[in-house]
Amino acid sequence: MSYPRLLADIGGTNARFALENENGELEHIRTLPCADFNTVVDAARSYISSAGDPRVKFAAFAIANPVTGDWVQMTNHHWAFSIETTRQLLGLEKLLLINDFTAQAYAVANLKSDEFVQVGGKEALENFPKAVIGPGTGLGVSGLIPDGRGGYVALAGEGGHNTFPPFDDTELFLWRYAKAEFGHVSAERFLNGAGLVMIYEALAHRDGVKCEKLLPADISRLALSGESPLCRQVLDLFCAMLGTVSSNLALTLGARGGVYICGGIIPRFVEYFKTSPFRSRFENKGRFDAYLAAIPVFVVTAKYPGISGVAIALKNDLANNGVV
């Protein structure tokens, strides 16, 4: 009677929904644009209707936002809602909400060998922390800490909003450009889709180049095709910045179990990423160069890690409350 279970991975741009059956398989996977719906309830109801109106008792949503109480106000989207009211409106017995990168971390702990690509480093060490980071609509950050029983505890943090650390004069220029508009400059200001556009606009302004109206996907395409040297510089800077922020996270967690890059941007150009400035910047830490050179980085290529991760979180929660 506890299946199917309703699962969702809700970002600032899209909400991905699925039903989990009693065999642990995901069914009726759909991606809905958040902008098409006034509320999260509207989106969930539309999905449930499209899946044939199954009777659902238990649900879990991963959301790109801190979850600190009953009220959720999304950082990168206009949805705001009460978890309890949402549960009631959807007729659920249980609605679990967790941070989207906490869900990504749960998924990382259960990846199959064909769901990630290694970018440098040596072997991941067992029973050591794993770092999880990923640029998309925002910048998600989490980690997995060994629990001493062969498993891991997933962290729920907001590391994407840490202050951005400029590495050289170019990044200092970008920091000043962003500071003039926003005041505080977080890592997320640059390391997401909108950040690609900001880097492009800032460099075009500095170099006196005509600034086209480009989307993040346009910048990546023009960079990789060789059509725009400026866009290539933007993408190189983006990857270098991600290297700095990822290595800071690896040092903070002691992530000798590996760094896992998720999100919707990097998996789109893995082959370029392998030879991008990311790895050299990741290892550029003075006395800790050798320490970081040994840490492997993995680009997660699994299709729906957020949904898989939130399914694990719901399973654990229900088991802890005596529900099989």
Side-chain angles (χ1 to χ4, degrees):
M1 293 294 293
S2 74
Y3 292 94
R5 295 174 180 175
L6 175 64
L7 308 171
D9 179 16
I10 301 170
T13 304
N14 294 310
R16 297 169 181 84
F17 287 92
L19 293 175
E20 182 187 18
N21 65 27
E22 61 272 16
N23 297 319
E25 299 165 339
L26 301 179
E27 301 176 334
H28 302 291
I29 300 172
R30 285 193 64 198
T31 300
L32 303 179
C34 295
D36 288 357
F37 302 91
N38 290 327
T39 68
V40 67
V41 172
D42 292 338
R45 283 175 171 168
S46 176
Y47 168 75
I48 292 170
S49 176
S50 72
D53 286 313
R55 174 70 178 96
V56 177
K57 294 171 62 178
F58 303 116
F61 296 171
I63 191 163
N65 211 73
V67 181
T68 58
D70 179 66
W71 185 254
V72 176
Q73 172 69 64
M74 291 189 67
T75 305
N76 292 314
H77 189 61
H78 70 264
W79 284 351
F81 56 93
S82 156
I83 299 172
E84 174 58 19
T85 300
T86 300
R87 181 193 70 79
Q88 293 179 22
L89 289 172
L90 294 177
L92 301 167
E93 285 190 22
K94 171 78 178 184
L95 173 59
L96 175 69
L97 248 75
I98 65 173
N99 176 267
D100 63 331
F101 259 73
T102 306
Q104 296 276 350
Y106 278 120
V108 160
N110 292 272
L111 287 176
K112 299 175 183 176
S113 60
D114 61 349
E115 293 181 323
F116 56 86
V117 176
Q118 185 166 349
V119 179
K122 298 179 181 179
E123 291 186 4
L125 301 183
E126 294 185 7
N127 300 315
F128 278 88
K130 303 175 187 290
V132 184
I133 187 169
T137 303
L139 176 65
V141 174
S142 184
L144 289 163
I145 308 302
D147 64 5
R149 302 187 300 274
Y152 289 89
V153 175
L155 300 178
E158 291 295 329
H161 298 281
N162 285 341
T163 302
F164 172 73
F167 180 82
D168 55 20
D169 288 344
T170 299
E171 292 181 15
L172 185 58
F173 164 78
L174 293 172
W175 176 83
R176 286 173 175 154
Y177 183 91
K179 181 174 174 57
E181 182 173 356
F182 299 108
H184 177 252
V185 183
S186 67
E188 182 177 87
R189 283 294 178 196
F190 295 115
L191 295 177
N192 62 14
L196 270 172
V197 176
M198 179 181 289
I199 297 168
Y200 169 78
E201 292 175 348
L203 294 183
H205 173 77
R206 183 193 67 176
D207 298 342
V209 176
K210 182 181 178 181
C211 188
E212 306 287 347
K213 290 290 184 181
L214 298 179
L215 298 173
D218 297 326
I219 294 172
S220 300
R221 175 179 55 80
L222 292 170
L224 298 176
S225 68
E227 297 176 59
S228 170
L230 177 58
C231 288
R232 181 58 179 246
Q233 184 182 8
V234 170
L235 197 59
D236 285 349
L237 276 167
F238 183 92
C239 292
M241 292 172 171
L242 182 59
T244 296
V245 174
S246 297
S247 63
N248 288 347
L249 179 62
L251 289 176
T252 299
L253 295 180
R256 298 170 71 190
V259 175
Y260 292 78
I261 298 179
C262 306
I265 294 180
I266 301 302
R268 296 178 182 177
F269 42 74
V270 176
E271 290 307 310
Y272 154 78
F273 188 71
K274 290 178 181 178
T275 57
S276 77
F278 170 85
R279 188 74 213 190
S280 61
R281 179 68 69 81
F282 179 84
E283 297 177 12
N284 193 336
K285 276 290 192 288
R287 292 173 295 172
F288 271 74
D289 285 0
Y291 180 94
L292 287 161
I295 294 179
V297 173
F298 304 98
V299 177
V300 176
T301 57
K303 292 188 69 174
Y304 304 106
I307 293 178
S308 299
V310 83
I312 294 168
L314 180 58
K315 178 181 178 181
N316 292 345
D317 184 89
L318 293 176
N320 290 337
N321 287 282
V323 179
V324 178

